Amino acid sequence: MDVLGIDIGGSGIKGAPVDLTAGRFARDRVRIETPRPAAPKAVADVVRTVVGHFDWSGPVGVTFPGVVAGGIARSAANVDKRWIGLDADALFTEATGCPVTVMNDADAAGVAEMTFGAGRDREGVVLVLTFGTGIGSALFVDGTLVPNTELGHLELGGKDAEHRASAQVREVKGLSWEKWAERVEAYLRHVDALFSPGLIIIGGGVSKKSDKFLPLIDGVTAEVVPAALHNDAGIIGAAMAAPGDQAG
Ligand code: BGC
C-alpha cells in the first residue's frame, strides 16, 4: 500500500507517496522551499500544496524538526517559535482534509533506517543521527524507538552541539571536510561515551557524501556507517507513521 510521507526540514519541505512494503518512493518526490519564517500557517499551506500535487486523499505522515508528543509540537529550535504548544496533527489534518500523524523528523528517519536501511535487523543500542540544518537523533534499543531524544542539543565545546557540527554549520562557515570531520568526530565520541551504541548511522543529505568525512573519523568505539536511505529516510519514516490500517 502507498502512503504519503512529507518531511518538513529547515530548508525544504519534501513529499512523496511511499510504497510501504518496499520502503521506497512510489512516485517522484516533490520539494518546496520552507517558508521563512517557518510559521505554522505558512508551513501548513505548503503541506496542503504537496498533498494537492499528488491529488492525495488518504492518510499522511508528516515530520517536524522539533519535539513532538501526542501530535503536539514541544520545541522549535530551527523553526518559528509559534509552533511550541501547537497541535500539529490537528493543524495539518484541517489544512489537508486528510488524517495526519506528525512525528519528530529524526525519529522518522531512524524508523525508516531501522526497517529498510542500515539498521535493519540490528539489535542492541543503535543511534541514528541526522546532520542537516540541525542535528537530529533517534535512539533504538532492540529495534524499539526511544522518541524525542534531542541529542543535537548536547553541549559540545561550550555550545549547543548542532551549532558546532551540523551540516549547515559546515556550509555557512565554509569549513573544509577535514575541519568539519574534526567537529563531527568530537560529537560522535561524546555520544559514544554516553550511550555505548553498537552502531551509529549517519543520516541527512550529507550522508550521500560520507566518503568525504567518515573515513577521517577516529576514536569511536561504535561501528559508524552512512544511512542507506540518505535524505529519503524522513519521507519514508513519515509515511510509516501515518494513521490508518496500512495493511489494507
Ligand atoms: C531539533 C530536533 C530535530 C533536529 C533535526 C533540532 O534542532 O531540536 O527536534 O530532530 O534539529 O531537524
Side-chain angles (χ1 to χ4, degrees), residues 64-67 75 77-78 104-107 130 134-137 150 153 162:
F64 178 74
V67 172
S75 76
N78 295 306
N104 171 263
D105 56 354
D107 284 347
T130 61
I135 298 177
S137 61
E150 294 291 314
H153 300 295
E162 72 176 20

Side-chain angles (χ1 to χ4, degrees), residues 158 183 196:
R183 293 178 178 215
S196 300

Side-chain angles (χ1 to χ4, degrees), residues 3-4 15 17 21 26 28 31 46 49 53 84 90 120 130 132 137 150 162-163 178 185-187 189 214 222 237:
V3 168
L4 183 61
T21 313
D28 286 347
R31 180 185 189 280
V46 175
T49 304
H53 172 87
I84 298 172
R120 192 154 46 165
T130 61
S137 61
E150 294 291 314
E162 72 176 20
H163 293 157
E178 289 74 15
E185 178 180 288
Y187 178 63
R189 286 185 182 199
L214 278 193

Side-chain angles (χ1 to χ4, degrees), residues 22-24 108-122 126 128 199 201 225-230 233 236 240:
R24 57 170 179 257
V111 167
E113 281 296 329
M114 294 302 285
T115 311
F116 298 111
R120 192 154 46 165
D121 301 327
R122 286 293 293 240
V126 177
V128 180
L199 176 68
I201 300 173
V225 300
L229 306 171
H230 303 297
I236 296 170
M240 292 170 72

Side-chain angles (χ1 to χ4, degrees), residues 25-116:
F25 296 168
R27 289 174 60 185
D28 286 347
R29 89 169 195 176
V30 65
R31 180 185 189 280
I32 299 173
E33 291 289 306
T34 304
R36 279 170 208 278
K41 182 173 180 323
V43 171
D45 284 346
V46 175
V47 167
R48 184 196 298 117
T49 304
V50 174
V51 169
H53 172 87
F54 292 107
D55 203 13
W56 196 262
S57 57
V60 181
V62 175
T63 75
F64 178 74
V67 172
V68 183
I72 315 262
R74 295 285 179 206
S75 76
N78 295 306
V79 283
D80 194 278
K81 303 293 174 242
R82 277 171 280 180
W83 281 98
I84 298 172
L86 199 129
D87 188 334
D89 271 6
L91 175 77
F92 294 133
T93 298
E94 196 178 312
T96 61
C98 300
V100 179
T101 295
V102 183
M103 76 187 287
N104 171 263
D105 56 354
D107 284 347
V111 167
E113 281 296 329
M114 294 302 285
T115 311
F116 298 111

Side-chain angles (χ1 to χ4, degrees), residues 114 118-119 121-129 138-143 188 191-202 220-226:
M114 294 302 285
D121 301 327
R122 286 293 293 240
E123 305 258 292
V125 177
V126 177
L127 192 54
V128 180
L129 298 170
L139 180 67
F140 294 85
V141 182
D142 292 335
L188 294 184
V191 292
D192 191 45
L194 291 176
F195 296 97
S196 300
L199 176 68
I200 299 177
I201 300 173
I202 307 293
V220 181
T221 307
E223 184 187 351
V224 183
V225 300

